[in-house]
Amino acid sequence: MYTKPFSYHRPKSLEDAVALFGKSSDPRYLAGGQTLIPTMKQRLAAPSDLIDLGGLSALAFIRKSADMLMIGAGTRHAAVATSADVKSAIPALAYLAEGIGDPAVRHRGTIGGSLANNDPAADYPAAVLGLGATVKTTKRSIAADEFFTGMFETALQDGEIVTEIAFPIPEKAGYAKFPNPASRYAMVGVFVAKVKTGVRVAVTGAGPCVFRVPQMEAALAKDFSDGAIANIKVAADDLNSDLHGSREYRAHLVTVMARRAVAGA
Amino acid sequence: MTASLIGRPVKRKEDRRFITGTGHYTDDLSRPHQTHAVFVRSPHAHAKIRKIDAAPALALPGVIQVLTGEDLKADNVQGLICGWMIHSKDGSPMKAGGHPALALGKVRYVGDHVAVVIAETPAAAKDGAEAVVVDYEELPSVTSTGDAQSSSVQIHDEAPRNTVYQWALGDEKATGAAFANAAQVVELNLVNNRLIPNAMEPRAALGEYDSGSGIYTLTTTSQNPHVARLVLSAFVQIAPEHKLRVIAPDVGGGFGSKIFIYPEETVCVWAAKRVGRPVKWTAERGESFLADAHGRDHVTHGALALDKDGRVLGLRVKTTANLGAYLSTFSSAVPTYLYATLLSGQYNIPAIYAEVDAVYTNTAPVDAYRGAGRPEATYVVERLMEEAARKLKLDPAEIRRRNFIREFPHQTPVILAYDIGDYDASLKEAVKRADVSGFAQRKADAAKRDKKRGLGFSTYIEACGLAPSAAVGSLGAGVGLWESAEVRVNPTGSVEVLTGSHSHGQGHETTFAQLVADRLGISIDQVEIVHGDTDKVQFGMGTYGSRSAAVGLSAISLATDKVIAKAKHIAAYVMEVPEDDVEFKDGEFAAVKTNKKMTFGEVALAAYVGHKFPTDQIEPGLKETSFYDPKNFTFPAGCHICEVEIDPDTGVVEIVKFTAVDDFGTVINPMIVEGQVHGGIAQGIGQALLEHGVYDKESGQLLTGSYMDYCMPRADDLPSFEVGMTITACPSNPIGVKGCGEAGAIAAPAAVMNAITDALGVKEFDMPATPEKVWRALSGQRA
């Protein structure tokens, strides 16, 4: 597979990266490249300039405070999956990261890249929305509820780079994924968390963009048990439907996976 | 006496180079001044080509030539062929449309070959292919097997109602009478899902032309380079046979898909002369999905007539087989002689009648894929047997026992004469290993965990070792299916074995060497297996249909016998004793009644030095050939038992246990045989649970064109297999082998689906058993 020609840059600072972006005609940032590179090889993307953020080692970190877990945008999935801090603070997040793609993907892909791409079947959006995390960028802080705006769409503006994700450490959290049998992306993935502000339930894979399920959140706030949501079904109308699962099946799986996430929390 | 090498799990000699990256695959090879080919492919399922404008591509840097079907025509290159003539039941020959390597006026499936761009680099060729402007007039398309004959879409003018043939086998009247007298009739509608082969190495070709000698060389991913040379010279008319060399170097898996003569390989070797430089092409994975020959794709109605005790009286089968948009090399034989001839299974069935309609559709050509016809036949017979057991409330093992063939040879009503087998033995062993008696308890335990368990049997048979030439010739094959071998002893006593079989993962370099080393009493390291080059090996029919051991190795065995005979002759002269007094054992020629002895190496040296025997009476040298034509097919058979557990919440099927007991006749290397069984079962389970090649009904686009949607089995989809063997040595070849390469793919789908329908308590349920389909079946029951 052969890409279209492009210019490659490896800036040493965020400022340089942003400046390069501003100067290029059709630039793309490159994080772990696990989506962008295959897309370029298939010639579905042909940026004029590829700005590799891989040289910004300051973006790869995991830090824990009393009530927050901060993960740098350049942190690879494998680092999150194996981090003692993540495992002790939010074990469900380590578990989620451990189930992304395959070992090669986990050792290249980054949390910032995944969030900026916002693939409707990616795992991380469920954790960020489910925990009510804050996405920090070169320009500002964006609440998870404001960040994911649609299929492959986010609140990020042109040239804006995700730098860090700040997760509140929950009292309890769980993640359950039903993988697409072929791609192993989430056909339905549900992240459930009990945080200070209440219970949050976020669903990835089922719809065009990660979404919350207020009915389940309300039920779990009263009774945090899998039985409490056994009869709550999301509407199938707006869900994805493809070869592997109809929207009705996905709607059914949301309840099953939500129950399993709660049971595992 | 030294221990025999036969039956020993000798480690594979070839693996060192494969796992250290020192093999030589087609794409590893590069030639000076090499150019690169990229094909312009049809984005439409069916369209007329109004115009091809190559000018924008030719204007790009690095693009050398753009060639189309008209250029092939101008050079008198003929279309690709289907090498097996099938006649319809009314006696008319099959209706084959043309198959140009590059389209002439019309494209017939998404991925069809429109033009080729030859450029200095792969990237330039890709840019060029994107720049070629093709003006299409889109036509309506039909992709579904069941719709092909009723559709108003006409794919080839030669084939009205898109029907290639309407073929039948067996005795319709006798079968009708059997049904009239039946106490029970069991009927099933079955779909055998379309599969897309996925060899690890994609297809590739490197075409060269030497203007000095006029010799073309095609290096390519082929399972049968000599057949490729024959077809490309005699039929496609690229070059006379003696001016065309075909080399199939290391090949990374085939599963049938690399038997066939494809457009890309044809174009590369032809274009090498046109361009005056070597032309190389390696398929991208997406091209493999689009344009490798697919497998299976049958729609079938099957009916079984039984007496009140569960004895089968008759079997009636009506199948529609999808052959895709063009007839691939052996496609016509797959749903006929490789399918309906197997419908007797392991059973004594007095009357069988099968009708097969083969249809064109706007899909990739369909041809032989691991098992080729036999998995489809086994699926029909074994689903029907299991359903019959349920309807008659008989134990599924017992209904099979009541119908097993026990006297051999056995003539079935569908051509084949089984030479040997012991079906009770493999069933008994499988039932024991699968712990069938403990199943009821396991099912009850699963129910306590809200899970559903099911058990399914598949007692399969296959006809392998393709095949007796006279037999296949009478059935329409354009070639004889013998095999050739040459055993070349060097003066130092080491041996080169040249075989017409081709190894692309099977481990011939080990198993073939085991047999020769064992026979000659020399070290296995003294034996080199040479294959895959038409300049080295005189001729060969290649590897498919589990034929390499039964036919290819039999030829080697006979040539080795001839070597021993001649060596004995020479040894007698050298030792000055009568030839009858020379005994050959453990690598030594001993003159009985004396203490004279010669090792095999000493005789080899004597044969080439020629000082000590009359060379006017005995030719010097030690090299023998054999062309072996088998007496009969071989009939591997066995019993596979699958146990599944279903999660009713999600519909996910887990294979908790899979037991396979096979009778492959004599086993040369049990480790390699077990590996073949494992791979076959993985593919069989893949078909039953995961794999499905799907075209969009409206647009004719391939929906499963990548691993994002085409679901290959992975290690975590599979349990650890319980594999056993029972042995009846095959009487039809000198080694006693039957073939093991396809058994798993043949037997497993029925075993899995019988287990799933058992767990679900449903009658009709089609592959692949995806979680949603299973969940829906259970939801229907809950509703």
Side-chain angles (χ1 to χ4, degrees), chain B residues 65 109-110 139 199 326 386 388 556 610 680 696 726:
Chain B
Q65 285 197 21
Y109 69 101
V110 174
L139 299 170
Y326 300 98
E386 202 90 354
I556 293 171
D696 181 61
T726 58

Side-chain angles (χ1 to χ4, degrees), chain A residues 1-5 41 43 178 180-185 243-246 248-249 252-253 256-257 260, chain B residues 122-123 126-127 130 284 647 649-650 652 690 694 703-704 707-711 714 716-717 771-772 775-776:
Chain A
M1 287 194 266
Y2 297 88
T3 64
K4 294 273 194 186
K41 282 179 166 178
R43 299 186 159 212
F178 189 91
N180 174 314
S183 70
R184 302 281 172 106
Y185 271 89
L243 270 183
H244 307 282
S246 65
E248 295 78 21
Y249 181 55
H252 165 77
L253 285 179
V256 176
M257 292 301 123
R260 288 182 185 181
Chain B
K126 256 197 111 117
D127 287 341
E130 284 177 9
E284 293 184 356
D647 176 354
D649 281 346
T650 57
V652 168
L690 306 165
V694 183
L703 297 177
T704 52
Y707 294 128
M708 293 296 282
D709 291 303
Y710 188 84
C711 190
R714 290 170 166 89
D716 65 356
D717 292 314
E772 175 162 9
W775 172 73
R776 282 190 184 276

Side-chain angles (χ1 to χ4, degrees), chain B residues 52 437 449 498 550 582 650 665:
Chain B
I52 300 172
S437 60
R449 292 180 281 111
L498 287 77
V582 178
T650 57

Side-chain angles (χ1 to χ4, degrees), chain B residues 101-153:
Chain B
L102 295 172
L104 285 170
K106 202 175 173 190
V107 285
R108 295 181 172 86
Y109 69 101
V110 174
D112 201 353
H113 314 69
V114 177
V116 63
V117 177
I118 318 267
E120 299 288 348
T121 64
K126 256 197 111 117
D127 287 341
E130 284 177 9
V132 173
V133 179
V134 186
D135 182 8
Y136 294 103
E137 177 189 333
E138 275 189 72
L139 299 170
S141 65
V142 60
T143 53
S144 124
T145 315
D147 296 342
Q149 291 174 301
S150 56
S151 166
S152 59
V153 173

Side-chain angles (χ1 to χ4, degrees), chain B residues 590-748:
Chain B
V592 292
K593 297 175 227 158
T594 76
N595 59 359
K596 290 180 182 174
K597 273 184 189 177
M598 289 181 81
T599 64
F600 180 76
E602 286 168 338
V603 178
L605 185 63
Y608 283 94
V609 174
H611 293 169
K612 292 188 176 166
F613 59 91
T615 54
D616 59 337
Q617 288 171 43
I618 307 172
E619 278 183 28
L622 197 51
K623 184 197 94 164
E624 297 290 345
T625 62
S626 172
F627 282 70
Y628 173 73
D629 196 8
K631 285 187 288 198
N632 193 353
F633 296 90
T634 65
F635 298 96
C639 176
H640 289 202
I641 299 175
C642 178
E643 188 168 331
V644 298
E645 185 169 297
I646 293 172
D647 176 354
D649 281 346
T650 57
V652 168
V653 176
E654 186 195 350
I655 306 224
V656 286
K657 187 159 189 184
F658 197 98
T659 307
V661 175
D662 301 288
D663 178 357
F664 298 132
T666 304
V667 171
I668 296 167
N669 186 322
M671 178 195 73
I672 287 178
V673 168
E674 225 174 275
Q676 286 280 351
V677 172
H678 281 219
I681 294 171
Q683 277 176 306
I685 291 174
Q687 170 164 28
L689 295 185
L690 306 165
E691 297 184 53
H692 196 190
V694 183
Y695 284 89
D696 181 61
K697 217 167 175 141
E698 291 300 311
S699 66
Q701 295 293 324
L702 180 64
L703 297 177
T704 52
S706 80
Y707 294 128
M708 293 296 282
D709 291 303
Y710 188 84
C711 190
M712 290 293 286
R714 290 170 166 89
D716 65 356
D717 292 314
L718 307 167
S720 190
F721 305 132
E722 173 76 32
V723 174
M725 281 176 214
T726 58
I727 293 174
T728 57
C730 178
S732 306
N733 63 61
I735 316 169
V737 296
K738 296 183 183 179
C740 65
E742 298 165 290
I746 290 169

Side-chain angles (χ1 to χ4, degrees), chain B residues 48 60 161 212-213 312 355 381 451 495 558 640 655 711:
Chain B
K48 280 184 187 158
L60 293 175
R161 294 177 60 242
S213 62
V312 180
E355 289 180 306
V381 175
K451 298 280 168 39
V495 177
L558 295 179
H640 289 202
I655 306 224
C711 190

